[in-house]
Amino acid sequence: MGGPNLEVFKFGMYILFPIGIMYYFGTNLDGKFSTPGFWPKEDQSHKIPFEREDIAKELSRLKARSLAAREQRIQAERERETEPLQADGVENR
């Protein structure tokens, strides 16, 4: 077995290794681990409405977009129904 010097060395490693890791990864974080342009700028991100008028305007915009998508979906379904079905060159009615 090891002597007292080995135990002192192991104790020093148990104490200094985590402190060294924390010091290395905890200092100069912006220089070591930053990626320029990673986060979007404020004008590129979503704007959450907080005022009553802004919320109502956003709701009406979302409803209009939903209705437009629904109309397109219904129109596409109608077009699909009116097209004759063909299987192996023979029309099925």
Side-chain angles (χ1 to χ4, degrees):
M1 298 284 182
N5 286 339
L6 178 62
E7 295 299 323
V8 170
F9 174 74
K10 285 178 12 182
F11 180 74
M13 287 302 293
Y14 291 149
I15 297 297
L16 292 178
F17 185 74
I19 293 173
I21 294 295
M22 287 188 285
Y23 179 76
Y24 175 76
F25 287 105
T27 57
N28 193 15
L29 293 175
D30 291 333
K32 290 180 184 174
F33 304 108
S34 67
T35 305
F38 178 75
W39 297 107
K41 305 290 186 259
E42 189 169 332
D43 57 337
Q44 295 172 335
S45 64
H46 296 290
K47 306 261 188 305
I48 299 173
F50 292 106
E51 300 298 322
R52 180 178 289 262
E53 296 84 20
D54 295 337
I55 294 171
K57 192 185 321 179
E58 185 69 16
L59 281 174
S60 65
R61 185 187 69 82
L62 289 173
K63 286 179 184 177
R65 189 173 84 177
S66 173
L67 287 175
R70 181 175 181 265
E71 290 298 323
Q72 287 179 350
R73 188 173 58 246
I74 290 172
Q75 183 179 6
E77 288 176 4
R78 285 183 189 151
E79 289 175 0
R80 244 181 289 153
E81 289 174 357
T82 58
E83 291 177 353
L85 297 176
Q86 293 184 358
D88 299 325
V90 179
E91 288 187 16
N92 294 333
R93 292 185 184 201

